[in-house]
Amino acid sequence: MRKKTVFVTQPYLPPLDEFLPYLEKIWSNKVLTNGGPFHQQLEQELCEYLGVEHIALFTNGTIALVTALQSLRITGEVITTPYSFVATSHSLLWNGIKPVFVDIDAKTLNIDPQKIEAAITPQTTAILAVHCYGHPCDVDAIQEIADTYNLKVIYDAAHAFGVNCHCGSVLKHGDLSILSFHATKVFNTFEGGAIVCPDLKTKIRIDQLKNFGHAGETSVVAPGINGKMSEFNAALGLLQLKYIGTAIDKRKKIDQAYRAKLSSVRGVVCLSDSGEYVSNYAYFPILIDQEYSIDRDELNDRLKAIDIHPRRYFFPLISEFPMYRGLSSANTDNLAVATQAASKVLCLPIYPDLAIEIVDEICDFISRQ
Ligand SMILES: *Cc1c(COP(=O)(O)O)cnc(C)c1O
């Protein structure tokens, strides 16, 4: 019998002894931060692994988001999704920008491009979209709208590390993409994040903004923040990168096991694995609909009672939090699909070291209710 608590995720860690040589290097060269050798090497290796041109590393994904908006000089109103982690919208408030929520697509749970145009006003300057659960947004449709109305596009790609769509890395779309390397993400540096940018000029500006706005020893050109990644985190990233292939393969097996077992359960819908993109298997969301014997919250409670802890990502919607719910776009009439999804979704445990026996146990339990 299983004695262990099963959480929705568990961080993947490389062998500890392999990290010691990195620490010895830091201790001997005494470069702890400010774009040291590990920082430079990780930027380079991530560009190669992800297939992107330029990356600026950050202390976390949230500061990367805030800085990305600042670097593009975004102001006024920005169109975004309510169906995400709260950091997405918070990054707008930190820049004094008004979020305008647009409903999501029922299949992908990403922002619905067909509903964007109606939300555009003379104050709109950008679209901040999220590749939710790593599922690529309809990037072509979003870009077309952005081109028509002269808007910038920023992707919160915190879930989309290593995801490829029809034309290579999904991170190449829009003006900038943001990654998170938080402990709970597919690729982690304990805490960390990055901005993926298309050209060197933009990267230089971003690098200045994450370092207080310094442009050389005696010149400060913008009110920047301290968003730098330390050498410790960069070293961890270099070691993690050696194991990322194995980690994603293990996730894939778990994803497949869930799909095989849950496909026959009435009222349980697995989000599509359309085969149209290369997934990173970051999450395993299911939707519990009326045909299932009990509702989502009851299933969540019953799983918790046997010490299995799924998560209701994303419930509540961002638009329901106190600092957002007064906005007219936060009205549930405007967000019918997102409201439905938030009431039905349950993210099941998925992480590289999750035993298939536990996946079986979870699936059997769900089919028995
Ligand atoms: C994790 C996450 C963030 C924030 O990243 P941190 O590195 O934890 O600051 C932002 N957006 C989404 C969608 C996330 O899942």
Side-chain angles (χ1 to χ4, degrees):
M1 214 22 226
R2 169 179 56 87
K3 290 218 181 65
K4 272 196 320 221
T5 302
V6 179
F7 295 107
V8 71
T9 189
Q10 180 180 287
Y12 196 56
L13 286 170
L16 180 58
D17 59 325
E18 291 184 29
F19 192 48
L20 297 179
Y22 291 87
L23 291 180
E24 281 163 2
K25 228 179 199 161
I26 294 173
W27 256 249
S28 73
N29 69 17
K30 301 195 169 33
V31 179
L32 310 186
T33 185
N34 286 48
F38 286 141
H39 183 282
Q40 288 176 32
Q41 193 185 339
L42 183 58
E43 287 193 340
Q44 197 181 331
E45 289 193 18
L46 281 174
C47 282
E48 283 161 24
Y49 177 79
L50 296 169
V52 299
E53 292 299 319
H54 298 281
I55 277 192
L57 294 174
F58 274 78
T59 185
N60 61 57
T62 304
I63 296 288
L65 268 170
V66 171
T67 306
L69 293 161
Q70 186 189 10
S71 75
L72 296 174
R73 299 179 172 86
I74 307 290
T75 58
E77 295 179 5
V78 169
I79 289 170
T80 191
T81 171
Y83 193 82
S84 181
F85 181 59
V86 72
T88 308
S89 300
H90 275 4
S91 70
L92 297 171
L93 296 193
W94 275 99
N95 278 283
I97 295 164
K98 178 178 168 187
V100 176
F101 296 111
V102 161
D103 208 359
I104 58 173
D105 174 83
K107 273 219 170 73
T108 62
L109 307 186
N110 288 326
I111 195 165
D112 185 346
Q114 294 192 19
K115 296 186 182 145
I116 291 177
E117 261 183 287
I120 296 174
T121 76
Q123 282 71 48
T124 310
T125 56
I127 300 165
L128 173 57
V130 179
H131 301 300
C132 194
Y133 309 127
H135 195 126
C137 288
D138 188 342
V139 289
D140 296 331
I142 291 173
Q143 195 58 53
E144 202 178 309
I145 298 164
D147 291 343
T148 306
Y149 291 90
N150 193 23
L151 307 176
K152 301 279 190 204
V153 180
I154 301 104
Y155 285 107
D156 179 339
H159 301 174
F161 186 91
V163 171
N164 289 332
C165 61
H166 55 298
C167 45
S169 173
V170 77
L171 304 171
K172 286 193 182 177
H173 292 280
D175 293 275
L176 297 172
S177 291
I178 281 77
L179 291 165
S180 165
F181 306 149
H182 182 255
T184 54
K185 303 300 201 296
V186 165
F187 172 81
N188 88 77
T189 58
F190 288 15
E191 291 272 6
I195 301 179
V196 176
C197 49
D199 59 88
L200 188 59
K201 196 170 156 236
T202 312
K203 175 174 158 55
I204 290 170
R205 174 163 164 80
I206 290 167
D207 283 343
Q208 290 170 350
L209 290 174
K210 78 176 187 189
N211 187 28
F212 313 99
H214 272 298
E217 233 177 88
T218 54
S219 150
V220 173
V221 295
I225 200 156
N226 181 359
K228 305 185 301 294
M229 177 183 275
S230 82
E231 285 292 279
F232 180 91
N233 301 95
L236 257 168
L238 285 167
L239 184 54
Q240 294 281 43
L241 208 46
K242 296 188 176 168
Y243 291 92
I244 187 70
T246 317
I248 293 176
D249 283 349
K250 288 180 166 190
R251 286 177 175 276
K252 182 175 183 175
K253 293 210 169 66
I254 291 157
D255 180 284
Q256 289 171 335
Y258 271 132
R259 282 179 199 282
K261 288 226 150 196
L262 292 175
S263 62
S264 56
V265 183
R266 256 176 85 95
V268 173
V269 179
C270 301
L271 249 67
S272 86
D273 176 19
S274 60
E276 283 165 15
Y277 65 100
V278 180
S279 179
N280 60 6
Y281 311 98
Y283 299 87
F284 198 84
I286 58 172
L287 300 175
I288 304 298
D289 65 30
Q290 282 108 339
E291 289 182 15
Y292 192 65
S293 58
I294 50 176
D295 69 18
R296 187 272 313 270
D297 288 343
E298 180 64 25
L299 177 61
N300 186 41
D301 289 344
R302 290 189 191 179
L303 281 163
K304 281 182 168 174
I306 61 163
D307 219 10
I308 287 169
H309 299 265
R311 287 295 295 267
R312 291 171 294 175
Y313 297 140
F314 289 99
F315 168 84
L317 296 176
I318 296 175
S319 46
E320 289 174 29
F321 293 126
M323 61 297 279
Y324 298 105
R325 65 183 170 219
L327 297 167
S328 59
S329 65
N331 199 308
T332 46
D333 298 341
N334 183 47
L335 304 171
V337 180
T339 305
Q340 269 291 312
S343 74
K344 296 199 286 194
V345 73
L346 198 59
C347 283
L348 298 180
I350 186 166
Y351 50 87
D353 293 329
L354 180 64
I356 294 292
E357 295 74 49
I358 295 178
V359 175
D360 290 345
E361 182 194 340
I362 294 169
C363 294
D364 291 344
F365 186 84
I366 292 173
S367 40
R368 273 202 315 273
Q369 303 308 302

